[in-house]
């Protein structure tokens, strides 16, 4: 596709349920990032994938969060046993050049 | 002390005014200095980047970096209503992590 695609655009879930967020990066981009953006806050780094290297998971806030990237392309961010503080916009980005990240529109997650 | 501090705003200016946006940082390892623009309900998009102290111009936009003071600025000349957005400063060292400011929301009134 022409850009980074994320689905769903919006997700409302009940506290305690699991959610999966999907990211389709720009074709050929080897790097993929997940960030979280809360109201009034900057983007918080979650996880980074680069090619076949082990991902940098240092930003994941708890063991309820996990992410996979299959075949060097599509990525899924999974949040288990969601909590209200997980409510945020989850942004995915891909890049060829480190600082030139192309972002998707994000998934707006609301935990009720 | 936060690694990145950005003037919080919001800013509201009349069309044609100059907009000035500022960030400070504490990490001396930062080598790339960027400004992203984020429209409402959209993802951020890279507006400008630079890796040296001084000014870089691109049309109506000027990015300024002062490494000695750990200070970066973005100036928008002849601002237009279409410039209304949230502007995020961002930084990168030798690794791949981008560190972002919290953003400044700008409204340009017609």
């Amino acid at each position: 596709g022409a850009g980074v695609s994320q689905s769903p655009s919006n997700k409302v879930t009940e506290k305690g349920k699991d959610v999966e967020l999907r990211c389709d990066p720009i074709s050929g981009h080897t790097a993929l990032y997940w960030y979280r953006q809360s109201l009034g806050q900057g983007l918080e780094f979650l996880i980074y994938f680069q090619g076949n290297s082990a991902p940098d998971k240092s930003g994941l806030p708890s063991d309820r969060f996990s992410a996979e990237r299959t075949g060097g392309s599509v990525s899924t961010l999974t949040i288990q046993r969601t909590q209200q503080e997980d409510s945020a916009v989850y942004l995915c980005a891909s890049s060829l050049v480190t600082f030139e990240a192309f972002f998707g529109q994000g998934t707006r997650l609301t935990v009720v | 002390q936060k690694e990145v501090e950005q003037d919080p705003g919001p800013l509201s200016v009349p069309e044609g005014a100059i907009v000035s946006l500022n960030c400070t940082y504490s990490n001396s390892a930062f080598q790339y200095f960027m400004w992203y623009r984020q429209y409402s309900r959209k993802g951020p998009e890279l507006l400008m980047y630079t890796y040296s102290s001084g000014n870089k111009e691109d049309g109506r936009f000027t990015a300024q970096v002062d490494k000695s003071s750990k200070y970066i600025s973005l100036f928008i000349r002849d601002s237009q209503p279409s410039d209304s957005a949230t502007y995020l400063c961002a930084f990168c060292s030798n690794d791949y992590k981008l560190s972002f400011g919290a953003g400044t929301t700008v409204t340009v009134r017609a």
Side-chain angles (χ1 to χ4, degrees), chain B residues 94-107:
Chain B
N94 271 336
D95 64 13
Y96 39 79
K97 289 179 190 175
L98 297 172
S99 297
F100 287 86
T104 303
T105 298
V106 175
T107 301

Side-chain angles (χ1 to χ4, degrees), chain B residues 29-47:
Chain B
F30 287 152
Q31 296 191 8
Y32 296 97
F33 308 91
M34 295 147 282
W35 286 94
Y36 279 77
R37 178 175 62 194
Q38 185 174 24
Y39 290 114
S40 180
R41 300 270 174 169
K42 302 288 187 183
E45 58 178 340
L46 181 64
L47 191 59

Side-chain angles (χ1 to χ4, degrees), chain A residues 33 35 37 40-43 45 48 56 58 98-101 103-105 108, chain B residues 32 34 36 38 41-44 46 49 88 92 95-98 100-102:
Chain A
Y33 304 77
Y35 282 84
Q37 187 174 31
Q41 305 294 315
L43 274 68
F45 168 79
Y48 169 79
D56 178 352
S58 61
T98 299
F99 53 83
E100 191 169 12
F103 284 85
Q105 294 197 40
R108 186 172 300 271
Chain B
Y32 296 97
M34 295 147 282
Y36 279 77
Q38 185 174 24
R41 300 270 174 169
K42 302 288 187 183
L46 181 64
Y49 74 89
L88 300 150
C92 189
D95 64 13
Y96 39 79
K97 289 179 190 175
L98 297 172
F100 287 86

Side-chain angles (χ1 to χ4, degrees), chain B:
Chain B
Q1 182 189 11
K2 285 185 179 179
E3 195 172 50
V4 176
E5 299 270 9
Q6 182 168 0
D7 288 354
L11 293 179
S12 179
V13 300
E15 185 174 356
I18 295 175
V19 176
S20 173
L21 303 166
N22 306 295
C23 289
T24 58
Y25 64 96
S26 59
N27 189 342
S28 299
F30 287 152
Q31 296 191 8
Y32 296 97
F33 308 91
M34 295 147 282
W35 286 94
Y36 279 77
R37 178 175 62 194
Q38 185 174 24
Y39 290 114
S40 180
R41 300 270 174 169
K42 302 288 187 183
E45 58 178 340
L46 181 64
L47 191 59
M48 293 186 71
Y49 74 89
T50 184
Y51 47 83
S52 58
S53 282
N55 293 350
K56 179 178 180 180
E57 282 194 21
D58 184 1
R60 296 183 295 109
F61 298 88
T62 299
Q64 186 176 81
V65 174
D66 183 341
K67 287 186 179 180
S68 62
S69 300
K70 295 190 176 64
Y71 189 90
I72 72 170
S73 298
L74 178 71
F75 300 97
I76 308 173
R77 291 184 300 280
D78 188 25
S79 56
Q80 304 295 310
S82 59
D83 296 326
S84 298
T86 297
Y87 291 81
L88 300 150
C89 56
F91 304 81
C92 189
S93 58
N94 271 336
D95 64 13
Y96 39 79
K97 289 179 190 175
L98 297 172
S99 297
F100 287 86
T104 303
T105 298
V106 175
T107 301
V108 181
R109 308 184 306 271

